[in-house]
Amino acid sequence: MHSLEQLRNDALREIESARDEKSLEAVRVKYLGKNGSISAWGERMKTLAKDERPVVGKLLSDARNTVTAAIEQRGAKIRAEEEFDALAKIDISLPGTPHEIGSLHPLHQMHDRAIQIFRRMGFALAEGPDIETEWYCFDALNTPADHPARNEQDTFYLPDGRLLRTHTSTVQIRTMESAPPPIRVIASGAAYRRDELDATHSPQFHQIEGLYVDKNVSVADLKGELEFFMRELFGAETEVQFRPHYFPFTEPSLEIHVRSKALKSGEQWIEVAGCGIVHPAVFEAVNQARGDDAYDPEKWSGYAFGLGMDRLAMILFEIPDIRLFSQNDLRFLRQFA
Ligand code: DAH
């Protein structure tokens, strides 16, 4: 056997027994490095007789190619084994890092649903502050100074005379003061009253207010649109009743009651909203504040409504107690995630 073949076989044996990349590299240097024993044959070729050169040249290139390929193969195998060992050290049965994802509060979900329906009917979203003046909460809404709603026992007053709004109807006035008719807005948010906290009353509750002012707006528009809203929300089989009522800021005034066999409340009528045709005195108050005649009650008419959002959510999600909305009990909230 030619000594090049001997070298090649030695190299292949050492490559096979190399256990890591470091010892494999040592084998490569030993045989194929600059001073490696196979490489040395390159120099030696020049000293050989002419007829010997092709034979030895062939042996040399065979040794180089075979050893190079073997090193590559062995290297790939070693790397694969190392990777496998590293992964085997990871205990995939260990619990992961928990990543809690929040969800919307049921009242927020109720708000979103209602707004989605009203948007389709062409209502835009309006806003107003929770801390209000008596003007926006009462005076402009035709609610005289001797009205019981203004009693300090019923309403939260601040030392400077401002108060927490007792309803979202304040946004009606703010909207009309800042823009001429036609108006088609809803506003949703918190309202406050000095109520004892029990299963159905809370000093903070939530309303959705609506206002539509245009030419020739009538009770027919009001009934048609609010009936549509109730059926969209509670289902097509929902029955809607309008009962005569009194509000200072509407004339006529109505209460809306709903009933549906699909709901848990079944046969029972439930009051869900107040509404009516905007009182001319409200338009007059707005004109006074604006200093113009934009809301001339002879030219314009409108309907307005106030929905009890907590009540709607309690019916829709079958929630028995209004206090659950504010207790932040995760066992309750998770049911709406
Ligand atoms: N503001 C009334 C309340 O809180 C609800 C209401 C009734 C709002 C009639 C309206 C309305 O806009 O027209 O009880």
Side-chain angles (χ1 to χ4, degrees), residues 141 166-169 172 191 193 205 207-211 247 249-250 253-254 271 273-278 303-307:
L141 285 160
T166 58
H167 50 189
T168 47
S169 303
Q172 289 185 29
R193 282 177 210 174
F205 54 101
Q207 292 186 324
I208 300 171
E209 189 78 14
L211 173 68
F247 297 106
F249 32 89
T250 43
S253 303
L254 302 159
E271 186 226 317
C275 60
I277 296 297
V278 179
Y303 73 67
F305 58 86
L307 303 167

Side-chain angles (χ1 to χ4, degrees), residues 259-276:
R259 171 170 89 165
S260 167
K261 288 193 181 67
L263 298 173
K264 207 179 175 191
S265 44
E267 290 298 299
Q268 203 189 324
W269 287 101
I270 308 165
E271 186 226 317
V272 289
C275 60

Side-chain angles (χ1 to χ4, degrees), residues 21 33 44 58 65 76 78 112 119 135 151 168 183 262 292:
E21 289 201 274
R44 207 168 297 158
K58 200 164 174 292
N65 293 343
I78 287 172
D112 286 352
R119 268 199 200 287
W135 168 257
N151 194 309
T168 47
I183 290 271
D292 64 13

Side-chain angles (χ1 to χ4, degrees), residues 31-293:
Y31 291 95
L32 297 178
K34 219 164 141 207
N35 302 312
S37 46
I38 293 177
S39 308
W41 274 92
E43 282 298 307
R44 207 168 297 158
M45 288 282 277
K46 295 171 200 155
T47 66
L48 295 178
K50 240 188 177 163
D51 58 336
E52 262 189 311
R53 283 184 198 171
V55 184
V56 176
K58 200 164 174 292
L59 287 171
L60 177 58
S61 72
D62 170 65
R64 266 200 193 121
N65 293 343
T66 316
V67 172
T68 304
I71 288 175
E72 251 169 49
Q73 234 176 39
R74 182 74 195 142
K77 201 165 171 215
I78 287 172
R79 283 189 292 278
E81 279 170 3
E82 277 173 357
E83 194 178 356
F84 183 83
D85 288 348
L87 287 175
K89 282 192 201 114
I90 297 172
D91 183 352
I92 56 164
S93 68
L94 283 174
T97 311
H99 187 73
E100 296 227 30
I101 298 173
S103 63
L104 291 180
H105 189 279
L107 280 176
H108 203 123
Q109 294 183 28
M110 182 64 236
H111 161 103
D112 286 352
R113 278 207 209 189
I115 282 173
Q116 221 172 18
I117 300 169
F118 281 122
R119 268 199 200 287
R120 277 160 49 207
M121 296 161 71
F123 285 87
L125 202 53
E127 262 184 348
D130 289 21
I131 298 175
E132 270 294 6
T133 62
E134 291 198 302
W135 168 257
Y136 288 110
C137 205
F138 301 126
D139 296 295
L141 285 160
N142 194 33
T143 307
D146 60 358
H147 193 279
R150 297 178 77 139
N151 194 309
E152 285 188 27
Q153 303 311 311
D154 292 328
T155 309
F156 295 104
Y157 280 89
L158 276 73
D160 64 6
R162 288 182 302 162
L163 53 105
L164 296 182
R165 65 179 177 193
T166 58
H167 50 189
T168 47
S169 303
T170 53
V171 186
Q172 289 185 29
I173 306 302
R174 288 185 171 274
T175 307
M176 289 191 281
E177 278 187 7
S178 62
I183 290 271
R184 201 167 172 77
V185 292
I186 46 166
S188 132
Y192 308 83
R193 282 177 210 174
R194 284 201 180 218
D195 257 335
E196 289 298 326
L197 186 63
D198 65 25
T200 52
H201 297 86
S202 165
Q204 180 186 327
F205 54 101
H206 303 82
Q207 292 186 324
I208 300 171
E209 189 78 14
L211 173 68
Y212 173 42
V213 182
D214 208 329
K215 299 261 166 70
N216 304 314
V217 177
S218 72
V219 173
D221 298 305
L222 164 64
K223 288 182 71 178
E225 299 197 356
L226 285 173
E227 247 179 64
F228 174 82
F229 172 80
M230 296 303 168
R231 298 219 167 98
E232 284 296 295
L233 189 64
F234 293 124
E237 63 289 334
T238 307
E239 294 174 87
V240 183
Q241 228 178 41
F242 292 83
R243 300 185 189 174
H245 199 73
Y246 171 77
F247 297 106
F249 32 89
T250 43
E251 179 56 39
S253 303
L254 302 159
E255 253 182 10
I256 305 176
H257 294 244
V258 294
R259 171 170 89 165
S260 167
K261 288 193 181 67
L263 298 173
K264 207 179 175 191
S265 44
E267 290 298 299
Q268 203 189 324
W269 287 101
I270 308 165
E271 186 226 317
V272 289
C275 60
I277 296 297
V278 179
H279 199 292
V282 174
F283 285 155
E284 299 290 5
V286 168
N287 285 337
Q288 182 198 322
R290 291 175 58 94
D292 64 13
D293 205 19

